[in-house]
Amino acid sequence: MKKYTGKTIVVKYGGNAMIDERLKDAVMEDIILLNMLGIKTVLVHGGGPDINKLLKQIGKEAKFVNGLRYTDEETMEVVQMVLAGKVNKDLVARLCARNGKAIGLCGVDAGMIRCEKHAEQDLGLVGDIVDVNTFPVEQALNSGLIPVVATIGADSEGRTYNINADTAAAALAIALGACKLVSLTDIPGLLMDKDDESTLIHEVKISNVPKLVAQGVISGGMLPKIACCVDSIAKGVKEAVIIDGRKEHAILLEMFSDLGNGTLFY
Ligand code: ADP
Ligand code: MG
C-alpha cells in the first residue's frame, strides 16, 4: 500500500465492463477504498453500450466509415446526454451512496479537455485532444474528492466532441503525472488468441507492441487501449495494466496482491 499512498492513479472503466449492477457497485467499493487509503483516484469512464441503446430507442441508424462510427450532430447529442448525463451521474450517485465523495465532471468543465476535430479521417464530431488542463481534477483530488470524468471535450469555439475514453484516460494520466493507469475491460487482458482466455499475456514490454500489432494479436478495441498504455508509459506513467472488469474487486487484486492480474505494460 505504501507504494501508492499520496500518488495519483487513473482508472478507466470501459462501457463493455459495466455489465451488471452488482459489479458496478464492486468497482465503486474499490475506488472508495483507494480514496480512503489516501490514493488520489480519478475514474474515467466510457459508455458505448448505453449510447448504442439510446440510439436504437430513437431509431437512429448507425453510420460507419472503415468500421468506425461516424458521429453526426444528432449522434453527438445522444453521446453527450448519455455519457455526461446518465452514465457519469449514475457512477457518482453509486459512489456517494457509499459515502464516497465523488464529483462528476466532463472534459468540457473548466476547459479540462480541449480538442479539435479528428484530422486523420472524417468521423464527424470525434475529437483529437490538443490540451489537457488538470486544474479541475487536481482541485477535486486535493479536496479529497473522487473525480469521475466523462470523455466529452470542447474546441476553442465551444463545439463539443466525442473522445475515445482510453485516449482521454491516458492523456489525463500523463498530464497528472499519475503513477498508474488501470484499464477495466471485458476480457482478462491481452490474449495471444483473443478467443482463448488461457492465453493471457501477463507482461508486455512496450517495445514489443508493434510486433504484436503486425502479427494481428492486437486488434479491435485493444488497439486504442494498448496504444494508450504505450503512450502513457513512454510519457512517464510507471505502470499501465489492462484487467478484467467483470471480475469482482479486480482493481484491489491487481494492486494489492503479489499475483497481479491482467496484462501489465512496462
Ligand atoms: P472497452 O469498452 O473496455 O474499451 P473494447 O471492446 O473497446 O472494450 O476492447 C476490448 C475488446 O478488444 C475485447 O473484448 C476483444 O474483443 C478485443 N480484442 C482484440 N484483440 C484482443 C486480444 N488479443 N486480446 C484481448 N482482447 C482483444
Ligand atoms: Mg473501447
Side-chain angles (χ1 to χ4, degrees):
M1 286 182 198
K2 245 194 280 176
K3 177 175 157 191
Y4 297 110
T5 307
K7 303 268 171 60
T8 301
I9 78 156
V10 174
V11 176
K12 189 257 170 167
Y13 194 13
N16 291 316
M18 297 179 186
I19 45 171
D20 75 45
E21 306 304 307
R22 209 183 49 136
L23 259 177
K24 268 194 237 179
D25 287 337
V27 172
M28 297 310 111
E29 281 161 16
D30 286 7
I31 302 284
I32 288 170
L33 187 65
L34 297 182
N35 176 256
M36 277 165 51
L37 291 170
I39 302 166
K40 294 177 171 175
T41 309
V42 182
L43 183 61
V44 177
H45 63 85
D50 279 306
I51 293 168
N52 293 341
K53 193 171 140 199
L54 186 53
L55 287 172
K56 204 172 150 199
Q57 279 170 352
I58 64 167
K60 177 91 183 152
E61 284 286 337
K63 186 177 150 194
F64 288 91
V65 182
N66 301 325
L68 297 169
R69 180 191 295 282
Y70 184 91
T71 305
D72 61 18
E73 301 245 358
E74 197 184 9
T75 303
M76 186 55 214
E77 274 188 30
V78 170
V79 168
Q80 190 167 319
M81 282 191 273
V82 171
L83 287 185
K86 179 176 184 283
V87 181
N88 187 271
K89 295 315 155 202
D90 172 64
L91 295 175
V92 170
R94 281 171 197 273
L95 287 162
C96 290
R98 285 165 184 76
N99 292 320
K101 294 185 190 67
I103 183 164
L105 299 166
C106 81
V108 179
D109 292 290
M112 187 186 352
I113 301 176
R114 203 160 59 76
C115 60
E116 54 191 29
K117 189 173 152 58
H118 180 60
E120 221 171 273
Q121 52 182 323
D122 184 11
L123 296 175
L125 297 171
V126 170
D128 288 337
I129 299 176
V130 290
D131 190 40
V132 177
N133 173 6
T134 57
F135 175 78
V137 168
E138 270 172 315
Q139 288 291 308
L141 290 172
N142 291 334
S143 308
L145 298 171
I146 304 167
V148 180
V149 181
T151 60
I152 309 292
D155 67 11
S156 50
E157 267 131 55
R159 196 182 246 276
T160 54
Y161 294 83
N162 186 14
I163 298 169
N164 177 285
D166 293 305
T167 312
L172 260 175
I174 293 163
L176 287 165
C179 74
K180 191 169 181 117
L181 173 65
V182 179
S183 187
L184 291 173
T185 187
D186 63 348
I187 203 155
L190 177 63
L191 308 175
M192 201 57 204
D193 168 2
K194 78 171 167 57
D195 300 314
D196 180 356
E197 299 202 347
S198 72
T199 64
L200 176 69
I201 307 172
H202 295 274
E203 290 190 350
V204 178
K205 205 169 170 170
I206 61 169
S207 57
N208 287 330
V209 166
K211 201 176 77 192
L212 291 167
V213 173
Q215 289 170 342
V217 171
I218 301 173
S219 66
M222 272 295 151
L223 279 168
K225 211 179 291 302
I226 290 180
C228 289
C229 290
V230 171
D231 196 36
S232 33
I233 297 292
K235 292 178 180 153
V237 177
K238 299 221 167 37
E239 284 178 3
V241 285
I242 296 176
I243 61 176
D244 197 340
R246 303 164 308 172
K247 223 160 105 183
E248 251 184 80
H249 304 299
I251 304 176
L252 298 185
L253 274 175
E254 199 288 328
M255 292 178 67
F256 302 121
S257 81
D258 293 334
L259 290 170
N261 193 8
T263 303
L264 172 74
F265 293 82
Y266 66 101

